[in-house]
Amino acid sequence: MTNLEALVAHATKLALLALLAGIVWRGRARLCWSFALYVVAMLLGNSLATLWPSRFLNPSFWVLKQGVYDVLKMGIALELAWRALSAFPGAARTARRVILALLSASTLALALLAHPSSYMNLWDWQPRVTTAALWLLTGTALLVVWYQLPVHEWQRAIMLGLAPYLVVFVALLGLLHRWGWTSREPIAVAAQATFLCLAVFWTWAAWRGPATPGPVVAGTRGA
Amino acid sequence: MLELVLSTLGGGLLCYGLGRYNRTLTLQRWRFVLNAPERQAIDSLRQRMQLDSALARQAFETADRAREADRHPDALTVLRVALSILEDAGADRLTRLRAMGVYSRMVQAIKPLPSPSAKPFRTTELRASATAAGFAHRLLVGAEERFRLWLLFLGLGVRIVLRGGRRSAAAAARVPGRARPWEAFADGMDDFDALDSSHLTAFEALVASLSAVDRGDRLRIWEQIAGDLR
């Protein structure tokens, strides 16, 4: 790990601690438990890799922690969908179909991989897993907008932050594939810096107080 | 590469959709859905439509009398007043149709509406649109899709009438003595009334669908929404 990587990693750790404190202090955890777990897992993964690099900074640990993050990202998407839709049976019926189709397509995309997943071919499987998680979030967001379902600002901030980060992550994996392992360091720094920005955004969203009501716009008048 | 395209598309859609999402407005809409004032809302809409129609007709009849008395400048001024009343009423109808489209997605089931028919309309464009909408209505299966088709047709109808009204007013201004633009304007006003009648029917169906949700269920849903969002 280079000095720059270590610096960004430590800054990320601080941001994650502030985020976790915000989640607990503002009572955001009950709005999405999977997200709280995701933050804890990120903090743990970051701490282990930076404080004990000789033991944890290796390919097998990376694959393990990435697997945990992926499962938790899927969990966030599914929990947000469940929380947004559970009170609305009509929308939930459609959501079940959409989520089933997305999960089936993702499973098929992963099943079509020619060789088993490992650290050495992470650009083959990781973008597919990340895209699947992103589309689960997108499906939920589109259903929320289409059915005009009420979601909390915090849940909205989780989705609005995670989606661009996942797009950047997939793009960086594509660059790693194209440029090879020699470019690992700048790409790792870029990925960490992007996550740092995301953690800062979430921290701001977690600590922010309730939003003031906005003006009523066209669409409600007379109906 | 495919993953990058798909993730960019997904991320873009999510940011666009949630970026435009207005939580306050959404909560207000749900409050309306779950506390729909039913009869009162229908009566107030009916009164508003009657008032718009009476004002537009009075202005048009005054303009027509001025035309028959060969006071063309006065006739044109008052005709433009009738047109502006129709335009204001049209903007109100289009706003409500948009809101009805949103609310129709928030209810569990919509009360079915009859198939659109060309019979109540006088202008050719509107008759053709009603016939096409009636045909499409038969092809659709779900009551919600049919309801949205109705809204689409009503919105199109309002735009057709307003465009026709502007054209007639412009033609009357060019050749003040010609009767044809005045007849077309009168036809447009009849069509606007027919559209209003269908608008009211659609609104009644929506309100009936909103009130079909059991009061206890409404309170439970609102508690769940408000409880989750505190």
Side-chain angles (χ1 to χ4, degrees):
Chain A
M1 184 180 280
T2 63
N3 285 343
L4 183 60
E5 273 184 271
L7 183 70
V8 178
H10 287 310
T12 306
K13 202 182 330 312
L14 289 177
L16 285 172
L17 278 170
L19 170 59
L20 203 55
I23 289 173
V24 173
W25 187 259
R26 292 277 188 188
R28 309 286 197 207
R30 67 182 179 82
L31 295 170
C32 186
W33 288 106
S34 316
F35 182 77
L37 283 178
Y38 176 68
V39 175
V40 170
M42 290 296 285
L43 187 59
L44 194 65
N46 177 304
S47 304
L48 291 176
T50 49
L51 300 178
W52 295 279
S54 56
R55 182 146 183 209
F56 291 104
L57 200 63
N58 56 57
S60 57
F61 181 71
W62 191 92
V63 171
L64 175 72
K65 73 172 183 172
Q66 200 57 43
V68 172
Y69 298 163
D70 289 338
V71 168
L72 287 171
K73 274 183 273 193
M74 295 273 188
I76 291 169
L78 293 174
E79 187 182 342
L80 287 176
W82 172 73
R83 284 185 183 278
L85 297 152
S86 58
F88 310 100
R93 226 177 6 252
T94 312
R96 273 196 293 274
R97 284 189 215 125
V98 171
I99 288 171
L100 184 67
L102 286 172
L103 286 176
S104 309
S106 323
T107 310
L108 189 68
L110 286 170
L112 288 176
L113 280 175
H115 35 76
S117 58
S118 75
Y119 187 71
M120 299 314 288
N121 63 3
L122 65 98
W123 43 70
D124 280 339
W125 53 273
Q126 188 58 50
R128 296 184 190 204
V129 177
T130 307
T131 307
L134 176 58
W135 269 95
L136 277 179
L137 284 171
T138 304
T140 305
L142 292 180
L143 286 165
V144 162
V145 174
W146 176 251
Y147 285 106
Q148 290 288 307
L149 303 176
V151 288
H152 195 278
E153 284 296 338
W154 172 237
Q155 293 164 331
R156 181 171 170 252
I158 292 174
M159 290 195 264
L160 273 177
L162 198 50
Y165 168 70
L166 294 180
V167 175
V168 174
F169 189 57
V170 171
L172 290 173
L173 285 169
L175 289 180
L176 184 66
H177 188 200
R178 181 167 291 186
W179 294 343
W181 286 106
T182 49
S183 61
R184 193 205 71 85
E185 278 177 21
I187 287 174
V189 170
Q192 283 184 356
T194 312
F195 188 78
L196 174 60
C197 295
L198 174 63
V200 169
F201 166 69
W202 277 336
T203 306
W204 168 76
W207 281 100
R208 192 174 48 162
T212 49
V216 179
V217 295
T220 50
R221 185 165 62 104
Chain B
M1 190 60 194
L2 179 66
E3 290 90 354
L4 183 58
V5 172
L6 285 176
S7 58
T8 307
L9 180 67
L13 277 174
L14 186 149
C15 290
Y16 179 74
L18 282 187
R20 288 167 53 91
Y21 177 84
N22 183 337
R23 178 169 167 262
T24 311
L25 180 60
T26 304
L27 283 176
Q28 282 171 351
R29 282 173 171 160
W30 276 103
R31 194 171 286 129
F32 173 81
V33 167
L34 299 171
N35 301 289
E38 301 163 22
R39 209 60 251 170
Q40 192 190 334
I42 295 168
D43 288 344
S44 112
L45 178 60
R46 183 178 289 118
Q47 280 166 13
R48 173 161 194 160
M49 285 175 165
Q50 283 167 351
L51 182 68
D52 286 340
S53 174
L55 285 173
R57 279 197 184 279
Q58 193 178 11
F60 178 73
E61 281 161 13
T62 309
D64 204 29
R65 277 197 299 275
R67 181 180 71 95
E68 281 167 3
D70 281 339
R71 288 185 286 115
H72 293 302
D74 292 348
L76 285 173
T77 306
V78 188
L79 183 69
R80 285 193 192 106
V81 171
L83 179 63
S84 75
I85 292 169
L86 276 187
E87 280 180 332
D88 284 350
D92 170 74
R93 306 300 185 268
L94 291 174
T95 305
R96 190 175 299 96
L97 286 170
R98 269 200 300 278
M100 283 162 73
V102 172
Y103 291 131
S104 72
R105 292 197 293 269
M106 298 163 97
V107 295
Q108 290 183 25
I110 288 269
K111 188 181 157 193
L113 286 170
S115 168
S117 155
K119 209 180 280 178
F121 302 110
R122 299 171 79 115
T123 52
T124 317
E125 268 177 295
L126 207 45
R127 288 179 69 85
S129 305
T131 308
F135 180 70
H137 190 267
R138 276 189 281 278
L139 294 180
L140 294 174
V141 178
E144 286 167 41
E145 285 77 19
R146 287 178 162 182
F147 183 79
R148 274 179 222 125
L149 175 73
W150 256 104
L151 300 185
L152 196 72
F153 163 66
L154 291 175
L156 182 69
V158 168
R159 288 187 183 90
I160 288 173
V161 169
L162 292 181
R163 205 181 53 204
R166 284 185 212 112
R167 260 201 319 244
S168 303
R174 275 197 304 273
V175 191
R178 259 186 78 201
R180 181 64 205 126
W182 293 81
E183 287 164 13
F185 197 96
D187 285 351
M189 288 201 356
D190 288 344
D191 282 350
F192 199 85
D193 284 349
L195 283 170
D196 266 359
S197 166
S198 300
H199 189 107
L200 195 61
T201 308
F203 188 72
E204 278 174 332
L206 180 66
V207 171
S209 308
L210 295 176
S211 55
V213 182
D214 178 61
R215 186 80 200 159
D217 281 352
R218 286 196 218 178
L219 286 174
R220 187 183 53 77
I221 293 172
W222 182 248
E223 272 304 303
Q224 195 163 343
I225 291 171
D228 256 11
L229 298 174
R230 260 175 218 136

